[in-house]
Amino acid sequence: APESPAPSGRAGPLRPASVSYPAATGTFRQPTSVRPLPAHSIRIGRAPDNDVVVPDLVVSRRHAELRAHPDGTYWIHDLGSHNGTFLNGSPVVDARVTPADIVGVGHCAFCLIGGQLVEFTDTGEVSLDVQSLAVTVDHGRKTLLDEVSFPVGQKCLLGVVGPSGAGKSTLLGALTGQRPADRGSVLYDGRDLYRDYAELRQRIGLVPQDDILHLQLTVRRALGYAAELRFPEDTVPAERRARVDEVIRELGLVERAEQPIHSLSGGQRKRVSVALELLTKPSLLFLDEPTSGLDPGMDRSVMHMLRGLADDGRTVVVVTHSVLSLDVCDRLLVLAPGGRVAYYGPPGDSLGFFGFDQWPEAFEAFENDRGRDWAGQYRSSRFHRRYIAEATARPDVPVPGAAPPVSYTPLR
């Protein structure tokens, strides 16, 4: 099949004028491959003898088949795959495919365009567009999230901070799709996360605050067991070992690989928890209080690790109480009590915007001055106009020193 160039970093979609691609292909900028539609059938899977080979360990060796029917229609048939075949975000066993549809297999999407089968690959460089998220409880009497909107660019490290009760955990549940918001939407590179959750959830990693690790196992064995659970039964031990070794190297755990987890420091255990999530190569990685209980040195080490993960081609969102290393983030979201956006923008400008020198002062003001309209003051600021109102659903990742400074008047 003729090969098109690989996805090109942060460039926008390259779409020939003569071809209309479905809008919801999202992150898939250029086709990975284009081939004529089959006269009979095309088999898709991980094994090299498939017609379309998808070298992705979450894909079964013989995953799905696109079949041409005598009446000229095409149908996608799942071949008993481990992680499922999806049509427009929903799992299917046998379903008709039209030119307006997207077939999902692992990190790949397939479309029938102009008499051709066009393959797109999710490279991991995805954006999020969070639009007017609202969550209430007690029959609407208490607001946990209040019209929260912000864009997150590709390869971006976003820090989320705020005082207790500001809605950070509620926001995390809404962004991961585990606890969808009552209103609003989360767009995963243009695709509605809630609508397509069954498919997209496989591309999201969540590291909880409390490490879920078997402390008596070595690092390598714990990752090996996790690989057995997450990959199809038809993966051979050598494939799983190779992926485990990749993740161990990426997280800087080579020297700790044969150590029991209980003998590791807190920061090293957190690296193992992240490694578990990275096995399946998620494009979005969320972390809940990853530095809780760590000393300042370990805190900074973990945050620099997350900086590296974003730079390698992922979108990383970290909810934290710690303000020690916010400078390594690209963007900072500050939530005020009641789940309102008090600030969204570069971390270095946040305290100056509030008019304080230290974060404890700002958090104390959030608690003591409940009557202040923090969200309203932010909405009327230059920061809101620049980083939310004027930002697109696919904002560029900021380059340090490249953007002119934004002037502001301290709130105090």
Side-chain angles (χ1 to χ4, degrees):
E3 291 288 326
S4 295
S8 55
R10 300 175 195 167
L14 295 180
R15 300 183 174 184
S18 60
V19 179
S20 176
Y21 291 175
T25 50
T27 192
F28 316 117
R29 288 160 188 77
Q30 296 185 54
T32 308
S33 68
V34 181
R35 67 193 70 227
L37 283 173
H40 301 289
S41 67
I42 283 181
R43 194 174 63 204
I44 304 168
R46 195 178 78 253
D49 60 349
N50 287 285
D51 302 299
V52 177
V53 179
V54 181
D56 181 348
L57 284 184
V58 300
V59 174
S60 296
R61 290 181 64 81
R62 286 164 180 75
H63 195 104
E65 199 168 63
L66 181 68
R67 298 172 178 172
H69 283 211
D71 61 2
T73 61
Y74 288 90
W75 293 67
I76 189 68
H77 181 73
D78 183 79
L79 299 177
S81 67
H82 179 83
N83 286 313
T85 300
F86 300 86
L87 184 67
N88 301 324
S90 298
V92 294
V93 175
D94 195 49
R96 182 181 174 182
V97 184
T98 73
D101 294 328
I102 300 174
V103 175
V105 174
H107 288 79
C108 290
F110 297 90
C111 303
L112 312 184
I113 301 171
Q116 296 177 311
L117 178 64
V118 183
E119 176 187 357
F120 302 89
T121 301
D122 184 337
T123 63
E125 296 185 12
V126 303
S127 63
L128 275 185
D129 193 15
V130 181
Q131 301 177 344
S132 303
L133 295 186
V135 175
T136 58
V137 293
D138 297 334
H139 304 288
R141 288 192 291 269
K142 182 177 181 181
T143 299
L144 301 184
L145 289 182
D146 189 359
E147 300 297 321
V148 172
S149 300
F150 57 91
V152 186
Q154 306 156 17
K155 300 171 70 173
C156 183
L157 174 57
L158 167 66
V160 181
V161 299
S164 297
K168 298 188 299 295
S169 296
T170 303
L171 177 64
L172 187 65
L175 295 182
T176 59
Q178 291 192 330
R179 297 183 301 278
D182 300 329
R183 299 193 311 278
S185 62
V186 179
L187 300 182
Y188 176 107
D189 248 22
R191 298 182 65 178
D192 189 313
L193 176 64
Y194 297 162
R195 183 194 64 206
D196 296 353
Y197 182 70
E199 177 185 353
L200 297 180
R201 67 191 298 268
Q202 299 182 44
R203 306 182 196 177
I204 296 173
L206 173 61
V207 180
Q209 179 176 352
D210 297 322
D211 297 321
I212 306 175
L213 300 169
H214 196 299
L215 298 181
Q216 303 307 313
L217 296 178
T218 66
V219 171
R220 188 182 302 281
R221 182 158 292 185
L223 293 174
Y225 284 140
E228 287 190 54
L229 292 173
R230 299 186 183 203
F231 296 141
E233 296 90 340
D234 59 20
T235 54
V236 298
E239 289 177 302
R240 294 194 296 270
R241 283 196 301 270
R243 181 59 189 150
V244 167
D245 288 343
E246 285 178 0
V247 170
I248 286 175
R249 288 193 299 271
E250 184 173 10
L251 273 298
L253 291 166
V254 173
E255 295 181 358
R256 312 292 180 185
E258 307 307 328
Q259 282 187 229
I261 292 173
H262 69 78
S263 70
L264 301 178
S265 68
Q268 291 162 351
R269 288 189 194 182
K270 188 58 64 176
R271 287 175 181 266
V272 178
S273 293
V274 173
L276 290 175
E277 291 303 310
L278 292 190
L279 285 170
T280 55
K281 298 185 178 181
S283 300
L284 280 177
L285 183 64
F286 294 90
L287 302 100
D288 188 10
E289 302 288 355
T291 63
S292 177
L294 301 184
D295 64 46
M298 288 287 189
D299 180 300
R300 192 149 186 85
S301 174
V302 169
M303 290 299 291
H304 275 284
M305 171 191 69
L306 301 181
R307 171 74 269 163
L309 294 178
D311 290 341
D312 286 342
R314 302 176 186 87
T315 300
V316 181
V317 178
V318 54
V319 174
T320 180
H321 276 104
S322 174
V323 295
L324 297 176
S325 302
L326 297 179
D327 58 303
V328 306
C329 297
D330 296 302
R331 292 285 182 264
L332 181 65
L333 172 68
V334 182
L335 292 176
R340 299 177 179 90
V341 177
Y343 176 84
Y344 180 80
D349 292 321
S350 54
L351 278 174
F353 172 74
F354 293 124
F356 296 107
D357 297 323
Q358 303 292 332
W359 278 107
E361 296 175 295
F363 283 4
E364 188 177 45
F366 287 143
E367 293 291 345
N368 296 337
D369 197 356
R370 296 267 179 161
R372 178 180 285 188
D373 185 8
W374 299 98
Q377 290 171 323
Y378 176 69
R379 282 196 303 272
S380 63
S381 73
R382 294 171 180 261
F383 285 90
H384 180 275
R385 182 165 65 251
R386 176 168 182 178
Y387 295 109
I388 293 184
E390 296 177 356
T392 65
R394 206 178 308 265
D396 290 333
V397 174
V399 178
V406 177
S407 60
Y408 56 84
T409 303
L411 297 182
R412 188 172 59 185

